[in-house]
């Protein structure tokens, strides 16, 4: 995160101070800053829900953490958040990248179709619920029900997980280094392939995470039709 | 012992081989063999309807039917109930089907329209005078409000539940009549948005300098933000004229959408972003909502990511209409759809469709009262859905307090559906609720779009007739005084005066 801090200091003169401003104003200021320089730095906005929602381009640095729904519907922007975030981080992201230096609250990364979400601290219950293609990386522990009804994408947990990990998993992969309290319905433990190892190694290198693919267990779905329909 | 003669017994002699199985298995001697060993019906009056002969006949040659409606002859234990229990006993599974409740519930038929004569303002001339049937949604909150030319919109029905061609026909009809189509919760097909605006493709729409050059009156497309969030992206939301936040629906209030795997082909899977053939079962609630305040935040975000241009609507299932509608309005919705128990084009567990929810006519007055109590009546628009079959039902819904109505099942029927209630199986022979190419080919979206538009036009004309014969020049003038209830139940439920009485027996 040193490089991130240096980058923040470099552009701090353009900083958007969110104190006392409403969501519409702050998000419009972020869009304007991105239009002008490709970069926006935001501070004192942790009370806002939906900060930096719906961005297609740009680098956004958020100081001091963020509230609920930060980075919702992200569609290509890179968000770097210094501090903790509240609930529903990156809701329904389809592409782009969001990095959080602290912890994420309840249900980080729900309903995402794509993009990378990297949480360097812990992440709460129901993270990556109904994931349909994004990659969630959590450097420490995750809560219960993580990856519930995931249909595609990847979850990588470097720490431990709570109850019902991957509950009603349909497709996609969960890679976990630590222990889990229980696995969810319709899950199986599988062997990492060479592609899996390559994928994980690239992630660890990109985000400078201290981990080796061989340390991980892979969890997959038993079947992609656990409800009414059955395979022919 | 059942009533004598309660059943019609029939032998199909083209199938019967006179094997005598029915004679052997029937304990009531309904069948007999003659001296030539031919099987005959000896005493059909003795038949108790056990159907053991049908079970055992190797040639499906025997048939038993109730002589009278089953509700009379078999009381609670009608053959469908018996078969349902047998199915559950064999499989351990419950039945699914589409098309809403099939039970008798208080309905618009329990209300009649009061024409104007001497003691009320005189009727207006449908042929030579105007009647305002327009509805505006988001007038004070959105930069681009919906200006609907008729008070009828299409209810949300997803791509996947409906075929691509059916979705195209709905969008085309919405454009022809200047009203609103709705993606439902299954993403969108590429033609849906341009067709709703009078163009065949997005390229044609983008290239056109004058939006008025398209066909039709210019319609709108609402996209749905739902608990499954299928096919939802920033592009999806920004290519919309309104966003509908789905909380529930009439077919299965308290449950999420059901799209069974047999309808998830390659194209549907791609739009939804899910594996081919897997069931798409939406959760009953939002994973990203813990409190109603989270929903308020979501609505604010939806406004923000669409640049405050388009209205945000909310759709509710039939539950506690006063409290639900009040909360929806407080959360910031510009329009609130409430889908009654009679509604439901979607697949649902049979028992849920039959037993969960309250009738449409019970939803509307409390919903309108909630908006009145907030001072938001006619500002936040109330849209009634659920079992609306034509102009008379629509008029009654408007008089009960709705600003507009939505149709789903009636729209499917206008497209050619025969209401067989097997939509969930994906084998619709009319190409409406299927994704099989050979069946979809039977539905021409242009011709079907015209049929839908014709139906909307006929419905609108009927609404105008009823509005004007009751002495009004605008649907905004309608009230419960324009109706009378035929039953005490309907009066109690709706607060409409009982026919023959000028008293409000029940106030609500």
């Amino acid at each position: 995160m040193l490089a991130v801090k240096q980058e923040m200091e470099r552009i701090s003169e353009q900083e958007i101070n969110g104190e006392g401003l409403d969501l519409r104003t702050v998000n419009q200021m972020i869009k304007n800053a991105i239009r002008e320089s490709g970069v926006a730095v935001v501070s004192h906005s942790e009370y806002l829900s939906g900060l930096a929602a719906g961005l297609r381009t740009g680098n956004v640095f958020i100081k001091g953490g963020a509230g609920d729904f930060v980075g919702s519907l992200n569609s290509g922007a890179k968000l770097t958040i210094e501090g903790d975030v509240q609930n529903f981080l990156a809701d329904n992201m389809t592409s782009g990248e969001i990095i959080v230096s602290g912890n994420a609250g309840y249900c980080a990364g729900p309903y995402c179709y794509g993009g990378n979400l990297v949480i360097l601290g812990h992440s709460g219950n129901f993270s990556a619920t109904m994931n349909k293609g994004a990659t969630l990386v959590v450097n420490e522990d995750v809560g219960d029900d993580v990856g519930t009804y995931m249909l595609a994408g990847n979850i990588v947990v470097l720490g431990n997980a709570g109850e019902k990990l991957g509950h009603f998993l349909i497709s996609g992969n969960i890679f976990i280094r630590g222990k889990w309290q229980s696995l969810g319905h319709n899950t199986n433990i599988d062997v990492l392939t060479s592609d899996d190892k390559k994928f994980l190694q690239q992630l660890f290198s990109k985000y400078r995470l201290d981990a080796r693919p061989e340390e991980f267990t892979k969890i997959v779905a038993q079947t992609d039709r656990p409800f009414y329909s059955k395979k022919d | 012992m059942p009533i004598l003669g309660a059943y019609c017994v029939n032998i199909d002699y083209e199938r019967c081989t006179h094997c005598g199985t029915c004679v052997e298995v029937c304990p009531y001697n309904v069948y007999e063999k003659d001296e030539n060993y031919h099987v005959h019906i000896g005493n059909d009056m003795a038949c108790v309807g056990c159907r053991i002969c049908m079970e055992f006949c190797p040639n499906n040659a025997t048939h038993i039917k109730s002589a009278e409606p089953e509700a009379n002859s078999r009381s609670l234990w009608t053959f469908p109930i018996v078969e349902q229990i047998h199915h559950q006993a064999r499989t351990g599974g419950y039945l699914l089907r589409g098309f809403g409740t099939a039970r008798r519930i208080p309905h618009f038929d329990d209300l009649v329209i009061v024409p104007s004569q001497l003691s009320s303002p005189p009727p207006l001339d449908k042929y030579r005078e105007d009647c305002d049937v327009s509805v505006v949604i988001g007038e004070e909150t959105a930069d681009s409000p919906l200006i609907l030319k008729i008070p009828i919109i299409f209810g949300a029905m997803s791509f996947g539940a409906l075929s691509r061609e059916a979705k195209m026909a709905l969008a085309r009809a919405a454009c022809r009549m200047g009203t609103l189509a709705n993606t439902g919760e299954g993403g969108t097909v590429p033609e849906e948005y341009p067709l709703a605006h009078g163009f065949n493709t997005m390229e044609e729409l983008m290239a056109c300098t004058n939006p008025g050059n398209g066909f039709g009156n210019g319609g709108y497309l609402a996209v749905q933000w739902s608990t499954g969030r299928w096919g939802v992206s920033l592009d999806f939301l920004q290519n919309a004229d309104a966003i509908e936040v789905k909380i529930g629906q009439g077919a299965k209030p308290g449950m999420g959408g059901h799209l069974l795997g047999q309808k998830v082909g390659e194209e549907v899977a791609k739009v939804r972003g899910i594996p081919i053939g897997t069931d798409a079962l939406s959760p009953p609630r939002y994973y990203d909502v813990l409190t109603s305040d989270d929903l308020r935040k979501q609505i604010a975000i939806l406004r923000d990511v669409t640049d405050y241009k388009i209205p945000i609507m909310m759709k509710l299932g039939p539950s506690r209409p006063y409290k639900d509608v009040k909360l929806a309005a407080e959360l910031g919705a510009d329009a609130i759809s409430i889908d009654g128990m009679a509604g439901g084009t979607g697949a649902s567990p049979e028992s849920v469709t039959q037993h969960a929810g309250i009738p449409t006519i019970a939803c509307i007055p409390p919903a309108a009262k909630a908006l009145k109590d907030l001072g938001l009546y006619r500002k936040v628009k109330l849209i009634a859905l659920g079992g609306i079959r034509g102009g008379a039902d629509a008029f009654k819904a408007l008089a009960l307090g709705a600003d507009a109505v939505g149709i789903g099942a009636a729209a499917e029927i206008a497209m050619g559906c025969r209401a067989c209630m097997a939509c969930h199986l994906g084998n619709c022979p009319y190409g409406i609720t299927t994704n099989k190419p050979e069946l979809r080919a039977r539905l021409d979206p242009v011709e079907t779009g015209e049929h839908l538009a014709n139906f909307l036009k006929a419905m609108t004309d009927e609404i105008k007739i009823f509005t004007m014969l009751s002495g009004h020049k605008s649907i905004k003038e309608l009230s419960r005084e324009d109706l009378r209830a035929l039953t005490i139940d309907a009066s109690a439920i709706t607060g409409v005066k009982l026919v023959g009485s000028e008293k409000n027996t029940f106030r609500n």
Side-chain angles (χ1 to χ4, degrees):
Chain A
M1 294 301 289
L2 185 62
V4 170
K5 280 189 176 175
Q6 287 171 346
E7 179 68 5
M8 282 186 175
E9 285 167 9
R10 189 181 69 77
I11 51 177
S12 60
E13 65 270 20
Q14 303 160 11
E15 187 169 306
I16 298 162
N17 184 338
E19 195 168 354
L21 301 179
D22 64 15
L23 179 71
R24 184 175 190 172
T25 305
V26 174
N27 278 354
Q28 190 56 55
M29 290 168 81
I30 292 171
K31 286 174 192 165
N32 292 343
I34 291 170
R35 203 173 298 122
E36 287 170 15
S37 65
V39 178
V41 180
V42 191
S43 66
H44 300 97
S45 52
E46 59 275 15
Y47 64 95
L48 290 175
S49 298
L51 184 68
L55 297 177
R56 294 181 186 278
T57 60
N59 282 307
V60 181
F61 297 93
I62 298 170
K63 291 181 175 179
D68 294 338
F69 296 105
V70 60
S72 287
L73 289 155
N74 188 31
S75 187
K78 179 178 177 182
L79 275 60
T80 306
I81 303 166
E82 187 189 49
D84 296 337
V85 298
Q86 299 300 315
N87 301 336
F88 319 122
L89 163 70
D91 192 354
N92 211 139
M93 174 169 67
T94 52
S95 62
E97 186 177 44
I98 299 180
I99 302 171
V100 178
S101 74
N103 302 313
Y106 179 87
C107 200
Y111 301 113
C112 291
Y113 270 100
N116 282 4
L117 177 57
V118 181
I119 297 160
L120 297 177
H122 301 283
S123 188
N125 296 345
F126 282 96
S127 294
T129 289
M130 288 197 78
N131 184 22
K132 300 174 189 133
T135 294
L136 168 70
V137 182
V138 181
N139 192 38
E140 298 191 31
D141 297 341
V142 295
D144 297 337
D145 299 284
V146 167
T148 291
Y149 198 11
M150 178 163 86
L151 293 124
N154 295 285
I155 298 172
V156 182
V157 180
L158 277 65
N160 302 313
E163 303 279 3
K164 291 190 282 182
L165 177 63
H167 198 39
F168 276 96
L169 186 63
I170 303 295
S171 190
N173 305 304
I174 299 174
F175 302 100
I176 179 163
R177 183 163 68 174
K179 296 175 181 173
W180 54 85
Q181 289 176 21
S182 65
L183 290 181
H185 179 75
N186 199 46
T187 50
N188 262 348
I189 293 175
D190 204 355
V191 178
L192 268 74
T193 65
S194 58
D195 284 347
D196 293 332
K197 291 176 183 171
K198 191 176 167 188
F199 166 74
L200 289 173
Q201 189 55 58
Q202 285 173 343
L203 274 181
F204 300 151
S205 301
K206 182 175 182 182
Y207 296 110
R208 298 177 187 177
L209 300 172
D210 183 18
R212 289 181 294 115
E214 293 75 19
E215 301 170 321
F216 284 75
T217 303
K218 180 182 179 183
I219 295 160
V220 296
Q222 287 177 13
T223 170
D224 63 5
R225 300 172 197 196
F227 302 111
Y228 296 111
S229 301
K230 304 297 174 200
K231 295 263 190 201
D232 293 332
Chain B
M1 184 72 181
I3 304 163
L4 285 174
Y7 299 95
C8 300
V9 182
N10 185 43
I11 298 173
D12 179 352
Y13 282 110
E14 289 190 4
R15 288 172 172 267
C16 179
T17 59
H18 300 278
C19 66
T21 302
C22 53
V23 180
E24 286 179 36
V25 298
C26 176
Y28 301 101
N29 299 321
V30 171
Y31 303 96
E32 63 185 20
K33 277 193 172 186
D34 63 18
E35 62 274 14
N36 296 320
Y37 299 100
H38 284 180
V39 172
H40 297 281
I41 298 167
N43 183 10
D44 59 349
M45 297 290 280
C47 178
V48 299
C50 70
R51 291 186 170 184
I52 190 73
C53 52
M54 291 174 65
E55 293 279 339
F56 277 85
C57 177
N59 304 304
N60 293 325
T62 56
H63 300 283
I64 309 293
K65 289 181 180 171
S66 289
E68 298 288 339
E70 289 191 1
N72 296 347
S73 59
R74 296 182 61 85
S75 185
L76 297 178
W77 306 103
T78 59
F79 282 128
I81 292 289
V82 169
E83 291 304 323
Q84 183 171 332
I85 293 171
H86 284 170
H87 171 83
Q88 290 178 326
R90 279 195 306 271
T91 67
Y94 48 84
L95 294 169
L96 291 169
R97 70 165 174 83
F99 238 75
T101 192
R103 65 186 290 174
R104 171 80 182 117
I105 54 173
H107 188 252
F108 295 107
D109 284 345
D110 298 319
L111 303 170
V112 288
I113 297 161
V114 182
S116 186
Q117 294 294 290
L118 278 180
S119 61
S120 56
L124 299 174
D125 187 340
K126 194 266 174 189
Y127 301 103
R128 284 159 287 267
E129 292 178 275
D130 293 330
C131 179
D132 175 21
V133 291
S134 65
V135 182
V136 182
I137 296 173
E139 197 167 14
E140 295 177 8
T141 51
D143 292 347
S144 304
L146 305 178
I147 303 169
L148 307 178
K149 292 184 171 59
I150 61 173
I152 310 158
I153 65 169
F154 290 126
M157 295 178 282
S158 71
F159 172 51
L162 297 193
S163 69
R164 184 189 192 111
E165 289 71 20
K167 295 297 291 176
M168 291 165 66
L170 287 163
R172 186 176 280 276
C175 182
R176 283 266 286 106
M177 295 304 294
T179 189
L180 183 69
N182 190 316
T183 61
E185 65 167 334
T188 185
V189 298
E191 298 89 348
E192 212 168 354
Y193 184 83
L195 281 173
H197 290 81
F199 296 89
N200 290 307
T201 65
M202 206 64 191
E203 290 71 28
E204 275 184 29
L205 176 62
M206 298 301 284
C208 181
T209 51
N210 180 3
N213 287 348
F215 65 78
N217 287 314
Y220 301 99
L221 181 69
V223 300
Q224 212 172 48
W225 176 265
S226 73
T227 56
R229 215 64 65 72
W230 311 108
V232 174
S233 66
L234 188 60
D235 286 335
F236 175 73
L237 299 173
Q238 290 185 341
N239 283 315
D241 302 301
I243 297 171
E244 182 175 74
V245 176
K246 179 187 174 185
I247 304 297
Q249 65 183 105
K252 42 188 177 288
M255 297 186 81
H258 283 49
L259 185 69
L260 301 194
Q262 53 260 47
K263 295 179 81 169
V264 182
E266 190 175 350
E267 200 177 0
V268 173
K270 187 180 172 189
V271 169
R272 293 192 178 220
I274 59 175
I276 293 171
T278 189
D279 299 317
L281 302 180
S282 299
R285 57 186 164 77
Y286 286 85
Y287 282 113
D288 51 356
V289 171
L290 288 174
T291 67
S292 60
D293 199 46
D294 292 330
L295 209 48
R296 185 195 317 277
K297 292 170 183 174
Q298 283 195 4
I299 290 173
I301 293 166
L302 292 172
R303 287 200 194 281
D304 191 71
V305 300
T306 52
D307 286 333
Y308 303 85
K309 287 179 182 168
I310 62 176
I312 309 295
M313 306 162 69
M314 192 174 279
K315 181 177 181 180
L316 301 170
S319 174
R320 296 173 180 82
Y322 180 83
K323 289 182 178 176
D324 289 341
V325 167
K326 195 171 182 190
L327 184 54
E330 287 171 344
L331 292 174
D334 299 317
I336 300 162
S337 296
I338 190 156
D339 194 8
M341 184 183 183
T345 57
S348 171
E350 158 87 7
S351 56
V352 174
T353 290
Q354 291 290 76
H355 299 288
I358 65 172
T360 307
I361 63 167
C363 292
I364 304 170
K369 185 173 188 310
L371 295 175
K372 285 173 185 169
D373 289 351
L374 290 171
L376 294 172
Y377 188 57
R378 302 291 189 211
K379 292 180 181 171
V380 170
K381 297 302 190 294
L382 180 64
I383 303 167
L385 301 95
I388 289 171
R389 303 158 298 180
D393 289 350
F395 175 90
K396 292 171 189 176
L398 299 174
L400 286 175
D403 293 285
V405 300
I407 56 168
E412 288 186 338
I413 292 168
M415 286 193 274
C417 160
R418 265 51 169 191
C420 72
M421 303 189 182
C423 321
H424 62 295
L425 298 175
N427 294 320
C428 176
Y430 300 98
I432 302 163
T433 59
T434 179
N435 295 300
K436 293 181 176 171
E438 67 275 17
L439 299 175
R440 285 170 45 196
R442 298 177 184 177
L443 194 157
D444 176 358
V446 176
E447 183 185 13
T448 305
E450 288 300 309
H451 290 169
L452 275 166
N454 288 341
F455 179 59
L456 290 179
K457 180 181 176 304
M459 266 187 84
T460 305
D461 278 345
E462 288 174 343
I463 293 169
K464 285 183 180 176
I465 288 170
F466 288 123
T467 301
M468 299 176 90
L469 71 76
S470 54
H472 303 293
K473 61 181 184 303
S474 166
I475 56 171
K476 298 172 186 67
E477 298 171 3
L478 303 181
S479 72
R480 282 184 282 185
E481 181 52 30
D482 296 307
L483 302 173
R484 290 292 182 274
L486 290 172
T487 67
I488 291 173
D489 288 351
S491 177
I493 289 167
T494 61
V496 168
K497 290 174 185 170
L498 187 63
V499 67
S501 166
E502 283 307 302
K503 289 180 183 174
N504 259 358
T505 312
F506 305 92
R507 283 195 179 274
N508 55 11

